[in-house]
Amino acid sequence: MFNLSNLRVYGIKNDVLAGAVVSVALIPEATAFSLLAGLSPIIGLHTAFILGLVTAFIGGKPGMISGAAGSIIVVLISLIQQHGYEYVLLATILAGLLQVAIGVFRLGKFIRLVPQPAIFGFVNGLAIVIMLAQLPMIKDQGPVMYGLVALAMLIVWLFPRFTKVIPGSLAALIAISAIAIGFNLETKRVGDLADIAGNLPVFHLPEAPLSLETLKIVLPYSVIIALVGLIESLLTMAVLDEMGNQKGAGNKECVAQGVGNTICGFFGGFAGCAMIGQSIINFTSGGRGRISNLVGALLLILFVVSLSQYIALLPVAALAGIMFVVCIRTFEWSSLRRLKRMPKADAVVMIAVTLVTIFTDLAMAVICGVIISALVFAWQHARITIVREQQEGDEKTYQLEGPLFFGSSAAFGELFSPENDPAKVVIDFARTRVMDSSGVEAIDKLSTRYQQAGKSLRLRHLSEDCISLLRKAGPYCMHELDNPDYIVAADDV
């Protein structure tokens, strides 16, 4: 919530100006995504307003902008085409409730499982996607459009070097609009994209039948929407955390996204999530607090209700130029320099996630990145070896090194030859750990081999969590317990 004690005049000014820029920048994407899904542009604008308002008050990352996102629209298109708009509202409400549950049960922390190369790939891919989304708006528009876009980019880059009284993006928007309107230039305007005039969102109960059959249709879409929305929101938060060196609250953001989407469903909107392009516009324009979210949402609905005829005059070139600069700033150029020094596996993950983000969708990209990283990690750590052997009389001790889990369980069994060992064998686990049930099964099989050979096997220096796992290994394993100083305390026979 708002903390009035932390408000400063300079911060308020920056938040207000940044929010003003964001409110205008939200219009083209909300409009374009709505049209892409075959819906009225007003629905997308209402979605951006509701989500912006909710996250302004209860979001986990002040200054992070939410609205109608392309990654979710891609999921909704088939539902709209097959079952219609009312089913979209139900899917949105259910997705929101799922997101609230994820936040309440504190599952947002699992975003930490996404490795850094995958985050680089996500950011780079999304920067390219945002750039490609601007091209249809300026394609085949002639030299006036291209000149205005270039001028807008130049103003965004150079204006902050002279003054920081207003953000460079707002200066570009004002200057390009003044030129286009003042000289009555023949160039595409916001009003040419769609009619954005409308009213405030009104309460609307979905008219789809409430039945088990409807749930079967809607639930798969809701699960995908909830996960895609949270993945994009939490990854966007991770990017902003790194840019501003201030950590956001992931689980709180999950709840905020869920509440916002649930309200959207009851007020005629579709699901949305955090938007990295607009969030970085806000961040680089000086918007760090919740006031920027609030101003962005309120100005957006003001444009829709009262000022649509004026907003319609704004040149698309100004918005496209601002977004091009956002793409350039969003792209992790340092990741390209790191490619030569990265482990090959990390480079593959980063490139794969980038390409999958561009050609499919974010959820698939992140899933691929996590799976590839997990497989690489398992392969790199699937090494368990005998580092020391010692025999005294009829007892032989093996000291192991490396984790014992599904990746190394086969190699573990191949290390020993019960038929060639003496009557008593001890395996020392001081420098290894039993990680999962595959490791337990590997020990159980080895114990059986020694028992069938008429020889005893004992396991030494096991940690308590390893012992709890090995209790499932059957009656063949004899565990030798020890204290932290590795002095034998007892035998569990």
Side-chain angles (χ1 to χ4, degrees), residues 92-98 100 257-267:
T92 297
I93 293 169
L94 185 54
L97 295 176
L98 290 172
V100 170
Q257 293 288 332
V259 171
N261 282 325
T262 302
I263 295 174
C264 281
F266 281 116
F267 281 82

Side-chain angles (χ1 to χ4, degrees), residues 319-339:
L319 300 175
I322 293 171
M323 292 305 295
F324 280 136
V325 175
V326 167
C327 295
I328 294 170
R329 289 174 173 171
T330 300
F331 195 92
E332 284 282 354
W333 299 100
S334 63
S335 65
L336 299 181
R337 294 192 297 271
R338 296 180 192 178
L339 269 177

Side-chain angles (χ1 to χ4, degrees), residues 65-139:
I65 305 301
S66 297
S71 56
I72 291 181
I73 284 296
V74 171
V75 179
L76 288 175
I77 287 175
S78 61
L79 179 61
I80 294 170
Q81 292 175 344
Q82 295 179 30
H83 301 283
Y85 169 62
E86 300 296 332
Y87 280 78
V88 169
L89 301 183
L90 276 180
T92 297
I93 293 169
L94 185 54
L97 295 176
L98 290 172
Q99 289 175 328
V100 170
I102 289 171
V104 168
F105 290 104
R106 307 185 69 80
L107 300 179
K109 60 186 178 183
F110 287 104
I111 193 63
R112 299 172 190 166
L113 297 177
V114 180
Q116 190 63 42
I119 293 179
F120 282 149
F122 151 74
V123 172
N124 293 345
L126 216 53
I128 295 171
V129 169
I130 294 171
M131 181 194 70
L132 294 176
Q134 311 310 309
L135 297 181
M137 294 194 296
I138 66 173
K139 184 180 179 182

Side-chain angles (χ1 to χ4, degrees), residues 241-471:
D241 286 350
E242 188 171 337
M243 292 176 66
N245 296 318
Q246 190 171 2
K247 187 171 172 40
N251 292 308
K252 188 175 181 181
E253 184 63 32
C254 293
V255 173
Q257 293 288 332
V259 171
N261 282 325
T262 302
I263 295 174
C264 281
F266 281 116
F267 281 82
F270 51 75
C273 65
M275 306 175 74
I276 190 168
Q278 280 70 14
S279 296
I280 291 181
I281 287 178
N282 189 50
F283 187 91
T284 54
S285 299
R288 300 289 194 277
R290 297 184 184 276
I291 289 179
S292 61
N293 303 59
L294 184 62
V295 169
L298 294 178
L299 283 181
L300 178 64
I301 200 64
L302 180 64
F303 296 155
V304 170
V305 174
S306 303
L307 304 174
S308 59
Q309 68 272 27
Y310 301 110
I311 299 301
L313 298 176
L314 297 179
V316 170
L319 300 175
I322 293 171
M323 292 305 295
F324 280 136
V325 175
V326 167
C327 295
I328 294 170
R329 289 174 173 171
T330 300
F331 195 92
E332 284 282 354
W333 299 100
S334 63
S335 65
L336 299 181
R337 294 192 297 271
R338 296 180 192 178
L339 269 177
K340 294 180 180 179
R341 299 180 181 179
M342 273 185 184
K344 290 182 179 179
D346 288 349
V348 168
V349 169
M350 189 181 80
I351 295 171
V353 172
T354 300
L355 294 175
V356 176
T357 300
I358 294 170
F359 293 106
T360 58
D361 59 70
L362 173 65
M364 183 63 67
V366 172
I367 290 170
C368 288
V370 171
I371 290 175
I372 294 171
S373 297
L375 291 175
V376 169
F377 178 84
W379 175 258
Q380 291 175 339
H381 290 78
R383 298 183 181 93
I384 186 167
T385 58
I386 296 173
V387 294
R388 184 167 170 261
E389 297 181 24
Q390 183 178 356
Q391 184 165 348
E392 295 180 1
D394 64 346
E395 181 176 284
K396 188 173 184 179
T397 301
Y398 293 97
Q399 187 173 48
L400 301 179
E401 185 173 68
L404 179 55
F405 69 118
F406 69 89
S408 60
S409 57
F412 171 77
E414 296 171 358
L415 294 175
F416 304 96
S417 300
E419 61 277 8
N420 298 325
D421 280 337
K424 298 178 182 178
V425 174
V426 176
I427 301 179
D428 191 334
F429 281 79
R431 298 169 66 177
T432 191
R433 295 178 66 84
V434 182
M435 307 295 289
D436 61 9
S437 59
S438 295
V440 170
E441 185 67 22
I443 292 175
D444 194 23
K445 289 179 179 178
L446 183 63
S447 301
T448 302
R449 288 168 58 193
Y450 275 102
Q451 191 268 347
Q452 290 174 346
K455 300 171 184 179
S456 69
L457 173 66
R458 292 183 297 163
L459 311 178
R460 178 178 293 167
H461 292 165
L462 290 166
S463 63
E464 290 298 329
D465 56 336
C466 295
I467 292 170
S468 65
L469 280 174
L470 287 164
R471 289 194 180 119

Side-chain angles (χ1 to χ4, degrees), residues 83-214:
H83 301 283
Y85 169 62
E86 300 296 332
Y87 280 78
V88 169
L89 301 183
L90 276 180
T92 297
I93 293 169
L94 185 54
L97 295 176
L98 290 172
Q99 289 175 328
V100 170
I102 289 171
V104 168
F105 290 104
R106 307 185 69 80
L107 300 179
K109 60 186 178 183
F110 287 104
I111 193 63
R112 299 172 190 166
L113 297 177
V114 180
Q116 190 63 42
I119 293 179
F120 282 149
F122 151 74
V123 172
N124 293 345
L126 216 53
I128 295 171
V129 169
I130 294 171
M131 181 194 70
L132 294 176
Q134 311 310 309
L135 297 181
M137 294 194 296
I138 66 173
K139 184 180 179 182
D140 300 327
Q141 294 298 307
V144 173
M145 169 67 83
Y146 304 143
L148 291 176
V149 170
L151 181 58
M153 294 177 66
L154 194 63
I155 294 173
V156 175
W157 278 115
L158 297 180
F159 190 81
R161 298 184 181 182
F162 298 99
T163 179
K164 295 186 178 180
V165 174
I166 63 173
S169 49
L170 181 58
L173 182 61
I174 294 172
I176 301 303
S177 299
I179 293 172
I181 296 172
F183 291 97
N184 196 26
L185 298 180
E186 289 293 329
T187 184
K188 185 184 289 187
R189 310 295 175 93
V190 170
D192 296 328
L193 299 177
D195 181 12
I196 64 168
N199 299 309
L200 290 170
V202 295
F203 184 78
H204 172 77
L205 283 174
E207 297 178 359
L210 297 177
S211 64
L212 184 60
E213 189 63 31
T214 301

Side-chain angles (χ1 to χ4, degrees), residues 50-60 64 66 253 256-257 290 293:
I50 294 170
L51 274 176
L53 200 62
V54 171
T55 55
F57 285 100
I58 63 173
M64 188 167 77
S66 297
E253 184 63 32
Q257 293 288 332
R290 297 184 184 276
N293 303 59

